[in-house]
């Protein structure tokens, strides 16, 4: 499967009479956009604002971050099974508004949305502070149940990203990157001397607003399966999570999974990147055993020499991570795990809820319990009063002067597990 990603570098975002990309600037007709993404009976109001890198702006509580993309050639469309038909995506041509993002906010859904600071020390912990953010504030009708609220805001975000992505359809990309994965037997024949490496992509599926969707299907309902890596780049995997801000992979991270991109960089040179195995993180022991058994079986079936396993979330997903690692190693496949760790504010606590001697090759996402003080910002988009109750905050986190003392788990993207957040911004 071969996909061409056409990156259109966005230098600024401005409101204008017509939604278009011209001279590297994304112009947005605000009224038209609100009309296009509105209409849900569960949402009583929508507002759109722009937050640029370096501005004294705080966005909270953050629900999701989504990169605008549009399918210009090949089967299917962006977010298949959600906004587009359930066609297999990942081939053809897709245009990307690189440097821009949709950020959804509004009244809190659960207790685990996050914070994005566009400047200051908090900005150093989130990659989303480097983006030109189109912030969509979607306020729910009174008395709305949490799961209905989550779905409504989720869909507003996807519609917003698709609407902006359409502006890139007929624009000539500034850069074209090609990603290709051959069918397994062809790949092995093409690179007979290179080690076969796969990526085990653990998806958050604990339920109670901790959900990820694959082609529109709640991933808690699937058994582990194989994807072409390029399918993720067209939005085959999307976030529905309200898990702690630094522990979830927003949709932006799913379509820009840096583990997948890094493996492609080495494909055909140092390794043979044969594909992605997606698996879930359910809460019952039998489900964990089933999924880890299937994951190890698929690694063996693909004839892998090595595997990278990333987790999403912490606590009982640590058990899924270690089960996957141990069982894949038992199949004779060398395994590296990417962890999400909570070691206490002093760093002295056990950072994972599970462990095994076979987990001896580890990339850490850092300690999410580390405490940081975020200085006051001149402008807040959203509802800052919720920082006392989000994960990572506590009674008294929000100070009278507008500064905030929180654990870094409250910062969106601070320690996520695909290498996109903490691993890149902190240089680990």
């Amino acid at each position: 499967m071969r996909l061409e990603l056409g990156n259109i570098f966005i230098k600024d975002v401005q409101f204008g009479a017509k939604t278009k990309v011209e001279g590297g600037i994304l112009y947005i007709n605000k009224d038209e956009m609100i009309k296009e993404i509105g209409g849900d009976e569960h949402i009583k109001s929508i507002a759109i604002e722009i937050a640029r890198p370096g501005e004294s702006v705080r966005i909270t509580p953050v629900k999701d971050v989504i990169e605008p993309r549009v399918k210009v050639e090949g089967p299917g469309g962006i977010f298949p099974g959600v906004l587009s038909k359930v066609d297999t995506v990942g081939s053809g041509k897709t245009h990307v508004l690189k440097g821009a993002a949709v950020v959804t906010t509004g009244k809190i859904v659960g207790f685990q949305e996050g914070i994005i600071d566009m400047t200051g020390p908090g900005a150093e912990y989130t990659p989303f502070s480097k983006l030109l953010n189109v912030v969509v504030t979607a306020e729910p009708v009174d008395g709305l149940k949490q799961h209905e609220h989550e779905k409504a805001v989720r869909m507003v975000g996807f519609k917003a990203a698709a609407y902006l992505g359409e502006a890139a359809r007929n624009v000539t990309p500034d850069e074209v990157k090609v990603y290709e994965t051959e069918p397994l037997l062809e790949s092995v024949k093409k690179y007979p001397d290179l080690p076969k490496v796969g990526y085990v992509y653990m998806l958050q599926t604990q339920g109670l607003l901790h959900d990820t969707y694959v082609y529109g299907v709640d991933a808690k309902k699937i058994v582990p399966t194989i994807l072409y890596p390029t399918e993720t780049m067209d939005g085959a995997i999307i976030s529905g999570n309200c898990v702690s801000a630094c522990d979830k992979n927003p949709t932006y991270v799913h379509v820009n999974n840096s583990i997948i991109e890094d493996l492609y960089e080495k494909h055909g040179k140092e390794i043979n990147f044969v594909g992605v195995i997606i698996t879930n993180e359910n809460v019952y022991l039998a489900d964990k055993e089933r999924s880890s058994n299937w994951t190890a079986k698929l690694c063996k079936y693909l004839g892998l020499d090595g595997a990278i396993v990333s987790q999403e979330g912490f606590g009982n997903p640590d058990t899924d991570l270690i089960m996957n690692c141990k069982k894949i190693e038992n199949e004779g496949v060398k395994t590296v795990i990417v962890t999400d760790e909570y070691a206490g504010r002093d760093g002295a606590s056990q950072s994972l809820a599970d462990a095994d001697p076979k987990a001896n090759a580890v990339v850490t996402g850092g300690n999410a319990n580390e405490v940081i003080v975020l200085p006051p910002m001149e402008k807040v988009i959203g509802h800052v009063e919720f920082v006392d109750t989000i994960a990572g905050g506590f009674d008294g986190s929000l100070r009278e002067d507008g500064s905030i003392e929180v654990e870094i788990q409250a910062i969106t993207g601070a320690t996520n597990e695909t290498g996109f957040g903490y691993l890149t911004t902190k240089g680990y």
Side-chain angles (χ1 to χ4, degrees):
M1 189 173 284
R2 186 179 189 273
L3 178 67
E4 293 184 17
L5 280 188
N7 291 324
I8 298 159
F9 297 118
I10 302 301
K11 303 170 186 175
D12 193 16
V13 178
Q14 301 176 15
F15 292 119
K18 181 180 180 181
T19 299
K20 61 181 180 178
V21 176
E22 190 174 88
I25 300 174
L26 171 61
Y27 295 94
I28 302 172
N29 182 320
K30 185 192 295 189
D31 292 338
E32 181 182 82
M33 181 173 174
I34 290 174
K35 183 179 179 180
E36 286 291 322
I37 68 178
D40 191 313
E41 63 181 359
H42 300 110
I43 299 297
K44 67 181 179 183
S45 68
I46 293 176
I48 301 173
E49 298 181 72
I50 298 168
R52 299 176 178 86
E55 293 181 341
S56 184
V57 175
R58 173 166 293 144
I59 310 166
T60 188
V62 174
K63 173 65 175 65
D64 199 6
V65 184
I66 311 162
E67 185 173 58
R69 297 186 172 206
V70 62
K71 197 79 188 160
V72 297
E73 187 177 301
I78 296 298
F79 310 130
V82 180
L83 294 186
S84 306
K85 292 182 179 180
V86 192
D87 291 326
T88 300
V89 295
S91 62
K93 296 180 180 180
T94 297
H95 286 180
V96 184
L97 294 183
K98 188 59 68 177
V102 170
V103 176
T104 49
T105 186
K107 288 185 178 178
I108 198 164
V109 174
F111 299 99
Q112 297 181 304
E113 286 90 352
I115 301 168
I116 296 174
D117 278 0
M118 299 303 294
T119 190
E124 297 303 313
Y125 284 87
T126 172
F128 306 122
S129 66
K130 315 301 187 294
L131 302 177
L132 294 157
N133 292 314
V134 180
V135 186
V136 179
T137 304
E139 301 292 8
V141 298
D142 296 338
L144 187 63
K145 294 181 179 178
Q146 287 177 309
H147 69 280
E148 294 174 327
H149 185 187
E150 186 280 320
K151 181 179 180 180
V153 177
R154 180 186 353 134
M155 294 305 297
V156 165
F158 294 142
K159 290 177 181 178
Y163 170 80
L164 296 178
E166 278 294 330
R169 181 176 291 278
N170 297 314
V171 178
T172 301
D174 299 302
E175 172 190 71
V176 176
K177 301 188 75 171
V178 178
Y179 300 89
E180 185 171 11
T181 300
E182 299 89 350
L184 181 61
L185 294 181
E186 293 180 20
S187 178
V188 173
K189 185 177 180 180
K190 186 174 182 179
Y191 305 110
D193 299 323
L194 294 180
K196 298 180 292 297
V197 176
Y199 172 38
V200 176
Y201 196 172
M202 291 172 54
L203 306 177
Q204 175 61 255
T205 56
Q206 292 175 279
L208 297 176
L209 307 180
H210 292 29
D211 299 303
T212 304
Y213 297 87
V214 180
Y215 283 92
V217 175
D218 190 331
K220 74 166 66 70
K221 300 178 181 179
I222 71 170
V223 292
T225 190
I226 301 169
L227 293 184
Y228 279 99
T230 53
E231 291 179 74
T232 66
M233 299 175 181
D234 277 340
I237 300 174
I238 60 173
S239 174
N241 285 334
C242 297
V243 71
S244 298
C246 75
D247 302 305
K248 68 179 178 182
N249 292 320
T251 300
Y252 189 104
V253 175
H254 287 304
V255 298
N256 287 289
N257 186 307
S258 65
I259 292 177
I260 290 176
E261 292 182 357
D262 287 349
L263 288 170
Y264 265 127
E265 283 294 319
K266 296 183 180 296
H267 177 61
K269 304 168 187 174
E270 299 176 33
I271 62 169
N272 180 3
F273 179 29
V274 300
V276 174
I277 298 169
I278 58 170
T279 185
N280 46 29
E281 302 172 352
N282 290 339
V283 295
Y284 292 107
L285 180 59
D287 292 327
K288 293 177 183 295
E289 292 284 9
R290 180 187 302 109
S291 290
S292 55
N293 287 343
W294 276 59
T295 299
K297 175 184 68 175
L298 289 173
C299 287
K300 181 70 172 180
Y301 182 70
L302 292 174
L304 298 184
D305 299 299
I308 297 175
V309 186
S310 69
Q311 72 174 126
E312 183 177 11
F314 69 102
N316 81 66
D318 296 349
T319 297
D320 300 87
L321 177 69
I322 297 302
M323 280 184 172
N324 284 323
C325 177
K326 179 172 62 177
K327 293 177 181 181
I328 295 169
E329 285 274 350
N330 286 341
E331 293 291 354
V333 180
K334 294 185 181 299
T335 306
V336 176
I337 62 174
V338 183
T339 63
D340 178 24
E341 302 190 42
Y342 281 73
R345 293 185 178 184
D346 61 359
S349 299
Q350 179 175 323
S351 60
L352 295 175
D354 203 350
D356 189 271
K358 293 186 181 297
N360 58 6
V362 180
V363 176
T364 180
N367 179 19
N369 289 135
E370 181 183 336
V371 176
I372 185 172
V373 175
L374 307 176
M377 296 285 145
E378 295 176 6
K379 180 179 179 180
V380 174
I381 303 177
H383 298 274
V384 73
E385 65 270 19
F386 292 119
V387 299
D388 280 1
T389 55
I390 61 176
F394 50 86
D395 187 22
S397 281
L398 179 60
R399 299 170 174 175
E400 290 186 4
D401 66 353
S403 62
I404 302 171
E405 182 180 1
V406 289
E407 296 180 358
I408 63 171
Q409 65 170 301
I411 300 175
T412 301
T415 60
N416 72 63
E417 298 75 52
T418 64
F420 183 75
Y422 196 85
L423 296 176
T424 54
T425 60
K426 300 300 288 185
Y428 282 13

